[in-house]
Amino acid sequence: MKTQVAIIGAGPSGLLLGQLLHNAGIATVVLERQTPEYVLGRIRAGILESGTVSLLREAGVSRRMDAEGLVHHGVEFLFDGVRIPVPLSELTEGKSVMVYGQTEVTRDLMEARASSGATIIYGVSNVQLHDMKTDKPAVTFEKDGEACRLECDFIAGCDGFHGVSRQAIPKSVLREYESVWPFGWLGLLADTPPVNPELIYAHHERGFVLCSQRSLTRSRYYLQVPLTDNVEAWSDERFWQELKCRLPSELANKLVTGHSLEKSIAPLRSYVVEPMQYGRLFLVGDAAHIVPPTGAKGLNLAASDVNYLWRILCQFYHHGREDLLASYSSFALNRVWKGERFSWFMTHLLHDFHDKSPFDRKMQEADRRYYLGSRAGLTTIAENYVGLPYETVR
Ligand code: APR
Ligand code: PHB
């Protein structure tokens, strides 16, 4: 089998890259180890930066997002019972974010792939990467017990944090940067109207709370919990009780509770690998970096990588710009580190750290007062939240 770009992984990174390349007349094959149902069963964040929204439109997969997604012009913070609105659009010359779940983005991309007729193979195993340092790399894999070989010009490693692509790069050429956070997020999804029109990021002495949403009738809430907690110990009733306890009474009284559609605990990790390329292998999205979910940058950073790689590959195939290939990692990492910084900052600002010294607690408090008490501070938060601009590839 032969293609131009072999894409490993059919999460949002692999599917979006595949769609943009296909539209540009560049042949791709997507290899995914799971079934489509399994991929769609993963519940992830639901906030799209304005750049991600534009890229989905450019890929021609925005019909449902534009019809059903909710444009949010603001977000709220809540500290010590005081609500602080952050008027995103006012502070960022009209930019906004879109509330549209990652599951829906993935579903739209899967449908677009299917109707484009471009190849996508689910249920592959034993994926191995070969000859990345040559200009004829290859991927071998098994499908239904049969050994297959895919020859290509480039490999895009879009296979998430636990994928094989990053591991195929010799350890000696990679630098890994990692910080594991000392708590997790317990998330609950329910078909109940959101407690507030805007998302609320709240700090409370019992721990952080996020009141998010997927639509006007579906809510997503998160509670900071110890890493030792087990989801079985959290009945729906206990979850709602704890959530009410961490919200001021005007919100707690408005909260509509209901049966959970999903409930899980996620650990929080910050991670970046450098460089994000090795010969003709490019790492994209979670394969190269992970952020804690505070600020919802995971999917948006994946889209940012896709934006750069897609443009660089188009320049290569359409204009012979071989020189740009080596610049992918630095374009991508420049924005990745800013996203890591913002997620790190938001996580520090909002969570309760049991082991913080009294001095560090005072610093956290001062940060909150400064950032949320000045227009400059709020503008910094707003411009990062709606998404920093992409650099031009030329
Ligand atoms: N072979 C083929 N496919 C693989 C392999 C493998 N060896 N290993 C992993 N995969 C697949 C996974 O099954 C998954 O469907 O790669 C896909 C990776 O998808 P994601 O983990 O969603 O990563 P990515 O597409 O980069 O999306 C980034 O999604 O994970 C969230 O928080 C993250 O929001 C961010 C965004
Ligand atoms: C979500 O809706 O799942 C969500 C929203 C914002 C975040 C994280 C998660 O910062």
Side-chain angles (χ1 to χ4, degrees):
M1 217 191 300
K2 256 193 165 119
T3 193
Q4 288 174 304
V5 184
I7 298 177
I8 307 177
S13 299
L15 290 168
L16 179 56
L17 179 66
Q19 194 61 28
L20 288 160
L21 290 174
H22 174 82
N23 294 347
I26 298 167
T28 59
V29 169
V30 178
L31 303 174
E32 166 60 49
R33 105 178 134 181
Q34 305 288 357
T35 61
E37 297 71 34
Y38 183 96
V39 173
L40 289 173
R42 296 186 292 227
I43 308 284
R44 301 263 167 79
I47 300 294
L48 308 181
E49 290 177 351
S50 49
T52 306
V53 168
S54 305
L55 199 61
L56 290 165
R57 288 188 184 137
E58 206 157 352
V61 291
S62 64
R63 193 190 47 77
R64 208 159 59 91
M65 174 189 77
D66 283 325
E68 297 172 20
L70 304 171
V71 176
H72 278 221
H73 297 284
V75 62
E76 273 189 38
F77 284 78
L78 173 59
F79 289 116
D80 307 322
V82 179
R83 291 169 67 174
I84 304 147
V86 182
L88 295 172
S89 300
E90 193 189 310
L91 295 167
T92 61
E93 294 168 354
K95 289 191 184 166
S96 56
V97 292
M98 175 86 84
V99 171
Y100 190 64
Q102 181 171 320
T103 311
E104 303 316 312
V105 172
T106 310
R107 196 189 308 281
D108 296 345
L109 285 164
M110 277 180 177
E111 280 172 15
R113 182 89 193 168
S115 55
S116 74
T119 310
I120 179 161
I121 310 174
Y122 289 97
V124 300
S125 59
N126 195 19
V127 171
Q128 293 183 28
L129 292 74
H130 308 273
D131 307 326
M132 289 98 79
K133 282 293 220 183
T134 73
D135 58 8
K136 282 282 160 240
V139 181
T140 56
F141 59 97
E142 285 164 31
K143 170 69 185 166
D144 300 330
E146 202 182 307
C148 308
R149 181 178 172 89
L150 174 61
E151 292 181 350
C152 54
D153 301 333
F154 299 100
I155 304 174
C158 304
D159 48 351
F161 186 64
H162 299 288
V164 290
S165 302
R166 190 178 68 252
Q167 287 163 28
I169 304 176
K171 277 263 178 225
S172 56
V173 303
L174 292 181
R175 289 179 304 279
E176 293 182 287
Y177 301 87
E178 183 168 34
S179 174
V180 176
W181 297 82
F183 37 72
W185 275 22
L186 166 65
L188 180 145
L189 187 71
D191 273 334
T192 56
V195 68
N196 192 52
E198 302 296 14
L199 268 71
I200 303 177
Y201 290 85
H203 174 266
H204 188 275
E205 59 187 17
R206 292 175 68 91
F208 166 76
V209 173
L210 171 60
C211 302
S212 183
Q213 54 186 266
R214 290 287 178 275
S215 68
L216 297 174
T217 55
R218 183 168 285 190
S219 306
R220 180 74 167 157
Y221 296 103
Y222 295 95
L223 297 174
Q224 175 187 351
V225 294
L227 276 175
T228 46
D229 268 23
N230 179 319
V231 72
E232 283 76 48
W234 283 91
S235 63
D236 289 0
E237 201 186 3
R238 180 175 171 210
F239 184 98
W240 294 119
Q241 218 171 23
E242 181 64 28
L243 179 59
K244 281 186 182 171
C245 187
R246 295 186 196 183
L247 292 175
S249 54
E250 95 252 19
L251 286 169
N253 293 339
K254 275 204 319 209
L255 183 73
V256 182
T257 63
H259 172 67
S260 67
L261 302 171
E262 194 264 357
K263 202 165 41 187
S264 54
I265 296 182
L268 273 63
R269 183 197 296 273
S270 296
Y271 173 90
V272 181
V273 75
E274 291 189 352
M276 284 173 56
Q277 66 190 95
Y278 178 69
R280 288 200 163 204
L281 164 65
F282 302 101
L283 299 178
V284 182
D286 276 20
H289 41 77
I290 298 285
V291 286
T294 336
K297 290 296 171 222
L299 172 62
N300 293 300
L301 286 181
S304 160
D305 295 350
V306 167
N307 168 71
Y308 290 124
L309 184 55
W310 162 60
R311 290 184 197 282
I312 288 170
L313 289 174
C314 284
Q315 287 288 330
F316 171 80
Y317 282 111
H318 298 156
H319 305 288
R321 290 289 306 274
E322 195 149 358
D323 58 305
L324 281 176
L325 295 175
S327 65
Y328 167 68
S329 187
S330 56
F331 271 117
L333 282 169
N334 184 25
R335 203 162 176 290
V336 163
W337 277 114
K338 290 179 193 163
E340 287 283 345
R341 187 207 68 80
F342 182 64
S343 310
W344 176 92
F345 160 80
M346 288 273 283
T347 306
H348 261 290
L349 197 72
L350 289 155
H351 289 75
D352 186 51
F353 292 78
H354 286 299
D355 57 352
K356 254 195 164 79
S357 68
F359 182 86
D360 287 345
R361 276 179 197 281
K362 285 288 184 191
M363 281 295 120
Q364 189 188 26
E365 247 178 74
D367 256 352
R368 288 202 284 265
R369 285 209 210 96
Y370 168 65
Y371 278 99
L372 296 160
S374 94
R375 191 168 171 94
L378 288 172
T379 305
T380 292
I381 290 178
E383 75 164 353
N384 280 277
Y385 198 78
V386 300
L388 297 172
Y390 297 149
E391 277 176 79
T392 306
V393 171
R394 60 165 145 242

